[in-house]
Amino acid sequence: MRKPFIAGNWKMYKTAAEAEAFAEEFKKIYAPSDVRVAIAAPYTQLWTLRKAFEGTGIGVAAQNMHWEDQGAFTGEISAPMLKEIGVDYCIIGHSERREYFAETDETVNKKVRKALSCGILPILCCGESLKTRDAGQEKEFVGAQIRADFAGIEAEDAKKVTVAYEPIWAIGTGRTASPQQAQDMCAYIREVLTELYGEDVSEEITIQYGGSVKPANATELMSQDDIDGALVGGASLKPADFLEIVHF
Ligand code: 13P
């Protein structure tokens, strides 16, 4: 049985002081349940959150990492560096990184493999643009992303990956995919994972939906068979809103 997993993605929002204030407020209202919870924060806030969430069970996630352990890569952060400060997860291949920072399926795949080898759990993002959906090619596109991003990953490791389906047209637009559209694609992603790893493995893989998730639509999205959680942008910035989604 897959456990629901709700992760907040703060993107490039919140200073360390603001992150600490969020954590203090969130801890007051949060009661652990059988929902897995994590926050993906900017690098400089990861340690602040690690300390603030100690003993709460709330996970800490980075939003990106490099695929090498170390090297002449000015401005980059590696998986062992994240692991050292107790980071649990890393978002990999977010559409904003693919669009603005030239991430490709090849670099995404290298990063997913490195994260797994360092004990960091990847939250692997996929999703199509509006143009691709309007052309009716969304499944072909997302299927190709999944196949390329999982290349060379063994079944035992594949189970540790969370896939986040985030249609680009639904991110930050207020235009959520309908529960049916989201379910259809998440079921298709599971079908591709079944092809790659067999049903026993694909049934264990957590698949999140992301794109304008808010308290008002979380319950319906989460009640779909193949949607196991949410990757939440804007609505994760306020403790009360994020908590409502965690309690979907
Ligand atoms: P919004 O929830 O703000 O649409 O962002 C979604 C997202 O990109 C999460 O990674």
Side-chain angles (χ1 to χ4, degrees), residues 9 11 91 94 96 166 170-173 210-213 231-235:
N9 174 11
K11 309 192 177 186
I91 295 177
H94 192 282
E96 288 151 15
E166 300 204 307
I171 296 178
T173 57
S212 299
V213 176
L231 186 55
V232 186

Side-chain angles (χ1 to χ4, degrees), residues 59-73:
V60 176
Q63 299 173 8
N64 178 40
M65 50 167 264
H66 198 271
W67 61 82
E68 293 289 349
D69 288 341
Q70 57 179 25
F73 300 106

Side-chain angles (χ1 to χ4, degrees), residues 41 44 79 120:
T44 52
I120 292 201

